[in-house]
Amino acid sequence: MIGVFKRLKMWSPRPLKKTYDVVIIGAGVHGLATAYELARRGVRNIAVLERYYIGAGSSGRNTAIIRSNYRTPEGVAFYDQSVKIYEKMSVDLDMNVMFSQRGHLTFAHTEQAIAGLRVRAEINQLTGVDSRVIYPSEIARLAPAVDLSSRPRFPVLAALYHPPGGIIRHDAVVWAYARAASRLGVDIHPFTTVTGINHGGGVVTGVDTSRGAIGAGTVVNSTAGWASTIAAMVGLRLPIVSHPLQALVTEPLKPFLDPVLVSATLNVYVSQTDRGELVIGAEIDPYSSYSNRSTLPFMEASAAHVLELLPSISSVKVLRQWAGVCDMTPDYSPIMGFVPGLKGFVLDVGWGTYGFKAGPISGRCIAELIHTGVTPDLIKPFSITRFASGEMLGEKAAAAVSH
Ligand code: PYC
């Protein structure tokens, strides 16, 4: 029997080649999904470069909420396709990614907010996405722990109920894509920092890295938090401001909270993981920074806000808190596609607080764009050219806990 239990590697370390057809910067869910989808299309000679370990950036720092109840028709259609890929991912990638579609509730505490949620519900329904406005009797049935009395300063009046929404095991998603891509021959190189991008005459020719220069026909910027610094390497100034986003997790409790709860008015959201912990977060910090440090004011404010919704958790202990960096665009929508005047450079950036949920469909569309040279209809509205043409997407009302 000796040897039977040989340790199976999730992905294979391979030597760094001198040239690749496609170099993807960033081994998070976006970069790995793009590599996997390219390899599925038969593209070979792909490298994914990562400054730290696989999934070290925003893919390992997000709060793993999956949903498609956005505000713009373009956003709803796009995120809906991602939810559909997530629904089949455990089977397709042969790894349990623990996608738990437990429903998602966005609360309204004012009449004006109810009107806003109604608009979202209608846009969702017109795009075939399951969302509707519900009122306290139904909220009580779905989430009995929520305080629906008139005690809170901002009582809950209604909610946008999005049954397909839920949570997932984010590191399993990253590992599943890394393993699947590696099995299809993709080279994944952690601890390989891109220090420059070689280009001239409007054409990208490769990258400089901490391990030497690499030639490449196509270079993809799939970074989150560092999108602007990578784009600056080709002289491109992105309409992005980077902000910290913080979250915390409590000790595990017996399961008592099914849906994900979000309140823009209270600047808080909360979900209960399959391990029983409560994951609690808020909107981006209101200053720009590349800091990954978490703060006491965030914990104090979030604790106070979540107790407005769930007063019964007042003695629950916080285990840890963390922060990530979010690349925010002016319209709270991402930037995907080619860059006019710069052949071979592809953007998959500006993922703000919504990147993890979009990884699978973004990877699929970016792979199609690289393979065919044609921008898929689904991502045409997210082109960088919209900032010049003024065709902004205005997704702020539905992004994380924004309002
Ligand atoms: O888009 O659901 C979301 C979200 C929650 C926290 C950050 N983003």
Side-chain angles (χ1 to χ4, degrees), residues 28-90:
V29 62
H30 282 255
L32 293 166
T34 301
Y36 166 72
E37 296 287 353
L38 276 169
R40 268 183 77 209
R41 286 174 163 265
V43 178
R44 295 290 171 255
N45 209 20
I46 305 164
V48 184
L49 310 181
E50 169 58 50
R51 185 159 62 142
Y52 296 126
Y53 55 89
I54 293 170
S58 298
S59 289
R61 295 174 172 275
N62 66 90
T63 46
I65 294 170
I66 309 293
R67 63 185 174 91
S68 58
N69 58 353
Y70 279 79
R71 170 69 173 69
T72 65
E74 296 86 350
V76 178
F78 176 77
Y79 290 100
D80 180 42
Q81 291 303 312
S82 225
V83 170
K84 291 196 165 105
I85 300 175
Y86 272 125
E87 281 171 345
K88 291 172 58 223
M89 187 173 284
S90 293

Side-chain angles (χ1 to χ4, degrees), residues 246-248 266-268 280-282 294-308 318 321:
Q246 303 195 45
L248 63 85
L266 296 173
N267 190 27
V268 77
I280 298 169
S294 44
T295 64
L296 184 59
F298 159 76
M299 184 166 62
E300 286 177 335
S302 300
H305 295 160
V306 80
L307 288 177
E308 290 287 290
V318 172
Q321 58 180 126

